[in-house]
Amino acid sequence: MAAPPRIGLALGSGLARGFAHLGVVRALKRHGIEPTVVAGTSMGALVGGAYLADKLDALEEWAYTLTKFKVLSYLDFRVKSSGLIGGDRLVKLMLDNFGDVKVEDLPHPFVAITADLVTGHEVWLRKGRLVDVMRASFSLPGIFPPVFMNNRWLIDGALVNPVPVSACTANGARMTIAVNVSGDIIGKVKRPGDTIPTVAGFDLLNFEGPQQVEEAKKQGLIQRVFRRDPGSPSIFGVMVSALNIVQDRLARSRLAGDPPDVLIVPRIGHIGLMEFDRAEELMDEGEAAVERAMPDIKAAYAILCTEYREDDRPTGYTP
């Protein structure tokens, strides 16, 4: 039996909006499409790694439990650090689920995209402990501290390659499906009555309860970083909005120069980048985006993946 062609899946960055990737993967599998080359940036690296490590169900179950308070419980605020959030609690959670699984032990090629803080070079991580590789890919500058790996300080790959189509192509993908969760320009609107564009999606200062938030308030960290005067954005809002602008403009350029065979763009621009508590809505729209793109996926499959016998096609495939 001839080996089926390699189908690449490039999962883009987007913080909370990256939960839409879960719905995308779920819908693709339902249609019998199993990507065998996966590249991810930031949140896309987390979902891509979970997919290949067979941990998608655990990630989905965890996502469904998230509330604003629970999101805050994972954030260990730091005053004297290279990032506002240490990330130790998140790393512990990841280790509890992924253990010491290595990238090279995954069943299919996986690439996590990061950037070298010193040189600005795009760095592809294809070896090492999966948790460390994923952690490096979502090291959002100013929010999470950079990760030191392979004699480099690494930061979020969204700064160099937000939707890593090139990594799939370089690893032998015959057909590449890309998911840009930050491409819904129409949905990026201000909230009614507010002059500030949607960024985090909620105001941390309005919350009470989580101990670490109260401690941060005493230290003055949250007031300095998240508080804003009426009609003007906070420091945090400026930082995240700036990254969003960079990755949006860079993604357009990279996708124009190295287009995927199929581009999926979930309609989630109205959801804040930190609204992790809206995971179910994000996943549902990820599924819906795949359904809208299925005619294009089938057409691309019929053209690019016809070198092997018809009975080798994915289960449930109908051209």
Side-chain angles (χ1 to χ4, degrees), residues 230-286:
S232 64
S234 65
I235 296 174
F236 176 75
V238 171
M239 289 169 58
V240 178
S241 287
L243 178 68
N244 199 42
I245 292 169
V246 169
Q247 72 174 5
D248 175 54
R249 298 297 168 176
L250 183 55
R252 295 192 202 192
S253 176
R254 293 294 298 257
L255 289 171
D258 191 11
D261 299 297
V262 179
L263 178 61
I264 296 174
V265 183
R267 297 169 183 168
I268 51 178
H270 61 288
I271 296 178
L273 292 169
M274 294 294 288
E275 291 188 287
F276 290 92
D277 56 305
R278 298 176 71 174
E280 184 173 4
E281 181 181 351
L282 288 160
M283 284 186 263
D284 287 346
E285 172 52 25

Side-chain angles (χ1 to χ4, degrees), residues 3-56:
R6 284 188 167 186
I7 297 177
L9 182 63
L11 301 176
S13 57
L15 293 176
R17 293 172 185 161
F19 276 144
H21 292 315
L22 290 168
V24 167
V25 174
R26 185 165 57 195
L28 289 175
K29 291 179 69 175
R30 186 170 62 248
H31 283 279
I33 299 172
E34 300 270 354
T36 53
V37 177
V38 179
T41 298
S42 196
M43 190 66 172
L46 176 61
V47 175
Y51 162 66
L52 291 178
D54 197 24
K55 296 292 184 179
L56 274 186

Side-chain angles (χ1 to χ4, degrees), residues 108-130:
H108 301 294
F110 174 65
V111 182
I113 309 300
T114 64
D116 188 314
L117 180 62
V118 177
T119 66
H121 291 168
E122 181 176 336
V123 179
W124 294 3
L125 298 180
R126 291 176 280 194
K127 293 182 179 180
R129 191 169 67 168
L130 181 60

Side-chain angles (χ1 to χ4, degrees), residues 167-312:
C168 291
T169 305
N171 278 274
R174 182 64 187 274
M175 167 184 166
T176 297
I177 300 169
V179 187
N180 183 7
V181 294
S182 298
D184 179 21
I185 304 302
I186 301 302
K188 294 176 182 175
V189 296
K190 295 187 291 289
R191 296 187 183 283
D194 198 351
T195 62
I196 308 301
T198 299
V199 180
F202 57 85
D203 182 359
L204 293 178
L205 287 174
N206 290 334
F207 290 146
E208 295 184 9
Q211 182 178 356
Q212 76 280 4
V213 174
E214 294 304 315
E215 291 174 353
K217 282 184 179 181
K218 292 175 184 177
Q219 295 169 348
L221 177 62
I222 283 187
Q223 284 92 333
R224 293 196 301 272
V225 175
F226 295 98
R227 185 185 296 279
R228 62 180 174 89
D229 296 327
S232 64
S234 65
I235 296 174
F236 176 75
V238 171
M239 289 169 58
V240 178
S241 287
L243 178 68
N244 199 42
I245 292 169
V246 169
Q247 72 174 5
D248 175 54
R249 298 297 168 176
L250 183 55
R252 295 192 202 192
S253 176
R254 293 294 298 257
L255 289 171
D258 191 11
D261 299 297
V262 179
L263 178 61
I264 296 174
V265 183
R267 297 169 183 168
I268 51 178
H270 61 288
I271 296 178
L273 292 169
M274 294 294 288
E275 291 188 287
F276 290 92
D277 56 305
R278 298 176 71 174
E280 184 173 4
E281 181 181 351
L282 288 160
M283 284 186 263
D284 287 346
E285 172 52 25
E287 286 196 73
V290 170
E291 297 302 328
R292 291 193 296 269
M294 276 312 297
D296 292 334
I297 294 174
K298 292 179 179 180
Y301 195 99
I303 294 171
L304 299 170
C305 304
T306 56
E307 290 186 357
Y308 63 112
R309 294 199 307 268
E310 186 171 333
D311 57 1
D312 289 334

Side-chain angles (χ1 to χ4, degrees), residues 19 22-23 26 43 46-47 50 54-67 70-71 74 93 96-98 276-280 283:
F19 276 144
L22 290 168
R26 185 165 57 195
M43 190 66 172
L46 176 61
V47 175
D54 197 24
K55 296 292 184 179
L56 274 186
D57 289 344
L59 182 57
E60 282 192 26
E61 289 175 9
W62 173 73
Y64 282 129
T65 68
L66 290 178
T67 62
K70 194 164 185 178
V71 170
Y74 292 116
L93 178 66
D96 289 343
N97 285 276
F98 293 96
F276 290 92
D277 56 305
R278 298 176 71 174
E280 184 173 4
M283 284 186 263

